[in-house]
Amino acid sequence: MSAAPTSSAPALPFDPTDPVALTQALVRCPSVTPEEGGALALLAAVLTAEGYDVHRPVFSEPCTPDVENLYARIGDTAPVFVIAGHTDVVPVGDAAAWTREPFGGAIENGALYGRGACDMKGGLAAMVSAAIRYRRGNPDAPGSIAFLVTGDEEGPSVNGTVKLLAWAHERGERFDHCILGEPTNPAAMSDMIKIGRRGSLTGKLTVQGTQGHVGYPHLADNPIRGMVRLLAALDATPLDGGTTHFDPSNLEVTTLDVGNPATNVIPAQAKAAFNIRFNDTWTPETLAAELERRLREAAGNQVRYTLEVQPTNAVAFLTQPGPFVAIVADAIETETGKRPALSTTGGTSDARFIKDYCPVVEYGVVGKTMHQIDECVAVADLVSLERITHRLLASYFAAQRQA
Ligand SMILES: [Zn+2]
């Protein structure tokens, strides 16, 4: 007798192995951070019907909204392959500017429209569909598949992935490898896997002067002169030349504030802020030390300044290209005909938290319209991602069987 759980068909108006229908259903849940919007409830229903053990922990923290999350697992042996993502979305923005319903999930000319269609309900839905199709076809497959889904990625990211990972770890969950379904492709499904991310460090610089009359500068000390000198010193030499998998680190001055309304007054103080996206040459500590060194040298005894380096949880990290990255790249190449680039570009993501528990790579749909008016995802890309993920799961667990 076949033990395939297809007989326990869920009471859903669609087949969850259809990534397009599942994306539509998710897009129709108005889950703007921090609202759950029905999205996690939908995933819980879908996964429970397939035999997953599903949990929906809610996390709290003073001064931030409570946020619901979801953890689901099928199988009780190692290895545990984790699929991570988020169901929350950014606000619609100017609703009148949308040409389709932001939470309608309309399909027109081969594209599925709605907030979150590409970032990242589409990617998550395609991976859920693939995991379900894989387990239905391989009910006795070795190992486990787990879903780590947060509703707090687009918000403060306090009550989301960080706490969900700790919560799971506390329960004894151990993860072997993870794929995070963020939209990594610039234009086509074969473009890009992210195998790491740069770190982010923000600094605030204050230069102290002495206020006075512009006609009597010898009685004053203009802090803008010192600030210009310090900022030039920070920017004068590149921080590094890049590394094997990373672009050079980059510093951008993001604001320069004096706020002086009078043209005949030398101001008392000048403030500036900058942000650095740094590669694996640096840790936040070594980078802060280098900044201090540059400032000290440029200031000499003339410029009175303070540098405040803000604490950061975004350090640069890399998942070394090896068998796991190769399995992902192989699956993409087999389905699309082209091998994807291994990249570490872009902003930060929840991968920076996951990497503390297991190797993580990021791959999803095409991100061209994320956070935009008329956000959409190509239906063909959803189908492609479902097939790629299915192939990835099949070869991942086959490799474990041989190992
Ligand atoms: Zn996202």
Side-chain angles (χ1 to χ4, degrees):
M1 229 180 88
S2 165
T6 41
S7 55
S8 63
L12 290 163
F14 60 88
D15 177 1
T17 59
D18 175 357
V20 181
L22 185 53
T23 302
Q24 273 184 313
L26 279 175
V27 165
R28 287 170 183 154
C29 302
S31 52
V32 176
T33 319
E35 296 303 325
E36 183 271 332
L40 292 176
L42 174 66
L43 282 185
V46 165
L47 293 171
T48 302
E50 298 296 324
Y52 279 78
D53 182 26
V54 180
H55 302 265
R56 292 170 65 185
V58 177
F59 300 123
S60 312
E61 184 93 15
C63 307
T64 62
D66 288 2
V67 180
E68 271 198 62
N69 298 272
L70 180 145
Y71 179 70
R73 174 171 170 170
I74 194 162
D76 44 25
T77 57
V80 181
F81 185 93
V82 181
I83 296 172
H86 63 90
T87 50
D88 60 322
V89 297
V90 296
V92 166
D94 180 6
W98 283 69
T99 62
R100 280 87 172 175
E101 274 295 306
F103 299 110
I107 295 175
E108 281 174 53
N109 305 320
L112 192 163
Y113 287 85
R115 176 57 81 225
C118 82
D119 184 10
M120 58 162 278
K121 288 175 170 176
L124 186 57
M127 289 181 176
V128 169
S129 293
I132 291 175
R133 182 161 71 88
Y134 175 73
R135 287 296 298 206
R136 283 187 186 176
N138 304 272
D140 303 318
S144 308
I145 298 174
F147 283 93
L148 207 58
V149 184
T150 180
D152 188 33
E153 203 274 341
E154 306 286 11
S157 294
V158 168
N159 293 315
T161 299
V162 181
K163 289 189 178 177
L164 189 57
L165 284 161
W167 174 90
H169 191 82
E170 184 78 10
R171 292 173 46 89
E173 298 292 296
R174 295 295 178 269
F175 305 140
D176 291 277
H177 294 91
C178 175
I179 186 158
L180 173 60
E182 289 284 5
T184 51
N185 290 301
M189 289 303 287
S190 57
D191 286 343
M192 192 178 283
I193 304 176
K194 301 227 176 180
I195 57 165
R197 294 278 185 163
R198 293 179 297 181
S200 170
L201 189 81
T202 295
K204 297 198 164 178
L205 189 58
T206 304
V207 173
Q208 203 58 50
T210 305
Q211 188 175 325
H213 194 303
V214 291
Y216 300 87
H218 56 288
L219 299 177
D221 172 18
N222 194 336
I224 297 174
R225 188 171 289 118
M227 179 61 88
V228 168
R229 194 202 286 190
L230 296 191
L231 291 179
L234 287 178
D235 216 21
T237 338
L239 287 160
D240 54 67
T243 61
T244 311
H245 296 286
F246 285 88
D247 290 337
S249 301
N250 181 58
L251 180 149
E252 291 296 328
V253 176
T254 50
T255 188
L256 183 49
D257 306 295
V258 179
N260 179 14
T263 55
N264 61 350
V265 175
I266 291 170
Q269 201 179 58
K271 287 172 177 280
F274 57 88
N275 179 266
I276 300 174
R277 294 303 163 108
F278 60 94
N279 62 35
D280 55 352
T281 305
W282 307 97
T283 65
E285 293 73 28
T286 61
L287 186 54
E290 170 64 10
L291 297 173
E292 282 288 5
R293 192 192 64 75
R294 290 185 178 200
L295 293 174
R296 220 170 25 241
E297 206 175 282
N301 291 325
Q302 285 100 51
V303 185
R304 289 172 288 156
Y305 72 94
T306 51
L307 173 67
E308 181 208 329
V309 175
Q310 300 198 323
T312 180
N313 59 20
V315 302
F317 76 93
L318 179 73
T319 298
Q320 282 293 344
F324 176 54
V325 172
I327 280 180
V328 181
D330 287 348
I332 296 164
E333 186 176 6
T334 307
E335 289 295 335
T336 66
K338 213 181 124 221
R339 199 153 187 89
L342 308 182
S343 167
T344 56
T345 56
T348 62
S349 78
D350 274 356
R352 73 187 190 274
F353 306 124
I354 298 169
K355 67 107 172 45
D356 294 337
Y357 293 83
C358 69
V360 54
V361 303
E362 297 173 70
Y363 178 70
V365 296
V366 172
K368 228 183 290 181
T369 60
M370 54 186 167
H371 297 202
Q372 294 183 8
I373 301 291
D374 282 346
E375 180 175 347
C376 62
V377 62
V379 167
D381 289 356
L382 294 173
V383 173
S384 171
L385 183 57
E386 192 276 339
R387 295 173 66 100
I388 288 165
T389 309
H390 187 276
R391 184 172 290 278
L392 163 61
L393 291 170
S395 36
Y396 179 81
F397 288 110
Q400 300 297 331
R401 208 177 241 158
Q402 286 156 12

